[in-house]
Amino acid sequence: MSFDTRYPSIDDLRVKAKKKIPKFAFEYLDGGCNEDVNLIRNTSELREVQLKPNYLRKHHGSSLKTKLFGVEYDAPFGIAPVGLQGLMWPNAPEILAKAAFQHNIPFVLSTVTTTSIERASELTEGKAWFQLYHPTENRLRDDIIKRAADAECPVLVILCDVPTFGFRPRDIRNGLAMPPKMNLSNILQVFGRPHWGIETLKHGIPNFEVLKPYMPKDLDLKQLGKFMDDTFSGRLNEEKIKPIRDMWKGKLVLKGVASEYDTEEAIRLGLDGIIVSNHGGRQLDAGESTIKPLISIAEKYGDQIEVMMDSGIRSGPDVARAMASGAKFTFMGRSFMYGVSALGKKGGNHTISLLKTELQQVMEQLCCENTKDFPYHLIK
Ligand SMILES: Cc1cc2nc3c(=O)[nH]c(=O)nc-3n(C[C@H](O)[C@H](O)[C@H](O)COP(=O)(O)O)c2cc1C
């Protein structure tokens, strides 16, 4: 098997990650918002989806290969954009970008992560996607989009589910809300995780590499919070989407869609795809799990726009459940970050290999030859 058999599930990686990295970093990764209702619901309601096997059907082997935006990927899942990845493990975005490239799956770079657009593009030979947090100033927006185009990013992802920062009690307690503050307790946590501390020292304090060219030098944490607040205007609307659609010649995807209304707007504004997502339960604790809106959105609009999904997926069977419910493609955030936090450099390859193996087993079991055939196995 091409993964480390000591960690044959995402939950094993989560448990290991918890032991390996400081509490403030683990809680930033692991938590949802408010009381974590939406976080828990995402996985539990997804797992209510059941699939039917057809054992006696003729079977010529199952393939994970999946076409999206004219590209054939080796599996129907990709790596979702995650901010501050270098805080969880040094070089995490580079580890994941390389693994995604080797496995031929999409890697999406966040505006607020710790590797630059240019570096992600270099590591993936121009295959990395880029997720844009919407800048307040048009000049900054245009410059970042130009950098993404120059780096040959094939897909730009814009975000509609962050009109406000999610209310995350753990991050507030740990000083990771905006503005962030490093407190004594955080510093002590680092001493309890020496491997993390040494690796972090070796690689240097992580930086917002995408934003570095626009940031004044030597900001303290309070000034950094203010810079972020002033630089980004979270709420997306037609006036903000239109110029991006005009400017961006590649595929444009709206992430964070949870309603038919927003899907119709995305279609009207000429987007190529949507990711039905609730940010992994980090924004609206009273919201629905993503599997719920996915089913009706995919059924109604799946022939007008590419409908993808993330939030709550933690295994190959979960990917199959989402695909059977109408997703053309899926993404995961935490699963991959648990992998890298737990296993460092080996975490990207391990997690992708594990998910591929699990998904292959599900397909063989169902007698499902192609990923687009998952919906035939859905028990309604
Ligand atoms: C720690 C963390 C940071 C995130 N940062 C971003 C981000 O910068 N941009 C973004 O579009 N989504 C971000 N997300 C959301 C993910 O892209 C994705 O929607 C979510 O993780 C999917 O849920 P899952 O973690 O259950 O797979 C973040 C998620 C996590 C867990």
Side-chain angles (χ1 to χ4, degrees):
M1 283 195 192
S2 50
F3 57 85
D4 184 335
T5 51
R6 286 174 299 173
Y7 309 101
S9 74
I10 299 297
D11 200 48
D12 291 321
L13 297 169
R14 179 181 176 273
V15 170
K16 173 87 176 164
K18 190 171 182 180
K19 292 185 189 142
K20 195 104 180 270
I21 69 176
K23 184 163 161 266
F24 66 85
F26 182 77
E27 291 193 338
Y28 169 68
L29 169 63
D30 194 56
C33 62
N34 305 84
E35 276 69 48
D36 288 341
V37 174
N38 199 217
L39 168 79
I40 294 163
R41 214 181 248 159
N42 274 335
T43 305
S44 65
E45 292 192 353
L46 175 62
R47 289 185 172 176
E48 282 170 22
V49 174
Q50 296 173 19
L51 306 179
K52 192 189 289 295
N54 294 318
Y55 292 124
L56 294 186
R57 184 178 278 166
K58 269 208 179 82
H59 185 66
H60 309 93
S62 299
S63 167
L64 301 188
K65 289 194 187 298
T66 305
K67 253 195 164 172
L68 179 67
F69 298 136
V71 176
E72 187 170 74
Y73 291 106
D74 280 4
F77 56 81
I79 301 180
V82 167
L84 277 174
Q85 284 162 309
L87 182 76
M88 275 78 86
W89 195 258
N91 264 352
E94 300 202 4
I95 293 169
L96 288 175
K98 274 187 214 163
F101 176 68
Q102 278 157 8
H103 283 268
N104 186 30
I105 64 166
F107 166 79
V108 191
L109 186 83
S110 159
T111 309
V112 292
T113 193
T114 49
T115 288
S116 69
I117 303 174
E118 294 75 12
R119 179 75 180 134
S121 171
E122 185 188 321
L123 291 169
T124 59
E125 295 186 5
K127 289 187 175 166
W129 300 15
F130 178 66
Q131 172 263 316
L132 177 76
Y133 267 110
H134 200 278
T136 320
E137 277 187 35
N138 292 347
R139 204 172 37 88
L140 182 61
R141 175 199 67 197
D142 297 353
D143 196 66
I144 298 181
I145 291 179
K146 182 174 180 312
R147 283 172 60 197
D150 289 348
E152 294 178 358
C153 283
V155 182
L156 182 69
V157 178
I158 52 176
L159 206 59
C160 63
D161 63 0
V162 189
T164 64
F165 281 116
F167 190 91
R168 304 180 192 143
R170 295 177 200 78
D171 293 351
I172 295 170
R173 261 181 243 121
N174 293 333
L176 281 179
M178 283 294 165
K181 44 181 191 304
M182 201 26 99
N183 52 35
L184 181 66
S185 145
N186 290 352
I187 294 164
L188 290 176
Q189 287 165 28
V190 174
F191 285 108
R193 297 291 184 272
H195 189 182
W196 181 93
I198 291 164
E199 287 298 313
T200 300
L201 274 181
K202 264 205 285 195
H203 289 88
I205 302 292
N207 241 315
F208 291 104
E209 295 292 337
V210 175
L211 301 173
K212 208 157 112 187
Y214 320 107
M215 288 168 82
K217 280 216 172 82
D218 301 327
L219 294 182
D220 65 25
L221 286 177
K222 198 166 169 201
Q223 290 163 329
L224 175 66
K226 181 162 176 1
F227 169 82
M228 289 296 192
D229 256 357
D230 294 346
T231 305
F232 297 105
S233 68
R235 196 174 291 280
L236 211 56
N237 54 28
E238 179 167 351
E239 289 69 47
K240 290 179 183 161
I241 296 176
K242 269 185 167 166
I244 296 179
R245 177 66 288 183
D246 290 344
M247 228 180 299
W248 182 256
K249 303 298 169 225
K251 300 293 180 191
L252 187 62
V253 167
L254 182 65
K255 175 170 181 278
V257 173
S259 69
E260 293 190 8
Y261 177 84
D262 287 339
T263 308
E264 284 177 11
E265 286 297 283
I267 295 167
R268 187 173 68 78
L269 294 168
L271 277 93
D272 301 289
I274 55 168
I275 304 181
V276 178
S277 165
N278 56 34
H279 219 96
R282 291 165 77 82
Q283 292 296 118
L284 179 65
D285 208 29
E288 280 182 302
S289 64
T290 45
I291 194 68
K292 287 273 165 73
L294 172 77
I295 294 172
S296 56
I297 287 173
E299 210 169 87
K300 238 169 139 172
Y301 307 100
D303 55 351
Q304 296 173 60
I305 193 161
E306 294 289 7
V307 178
M308 298 161 267
M309 185 196 120
D310 77 18
S311 299
I313 300 173
R314 300 282 182 274
S315 68
D318 287 347
V319 173
R321 291 178 173 109
M323 302 283 290
S325 306
K328 293 264 174 62
F329 211 86
T330 61
F331 288 87
M332 281 160 267
R334 292 185 186 83
S335 298
F336 294 109
M337 284 309 305
Y338 291 142
V340 175
S341 305
L343 304 179
K345 266 200 289 238
K346 295 183 179 158
N349 179 42
H350 171 90
T351 312
I352 299 170
S353 300
L354 169 63
L355 291 164
K356 273 181 168 172
T357 307
E358 283 187 318
L359 189 57
Q360 184 76 36
Q361 188 272 341
V362 178
M363 291 184 75
E364 302 276 355
Q365 188 74 23
L366 289 173
C367 205
C368 175
E369 294 186 354
N370 296 298
T371 58
K372 64 175 167 37
D373 296 334
F374 273 120
Y376 299 125
H377 298 272
L378 181 70
I379 299 178
K380 290 195 179 156

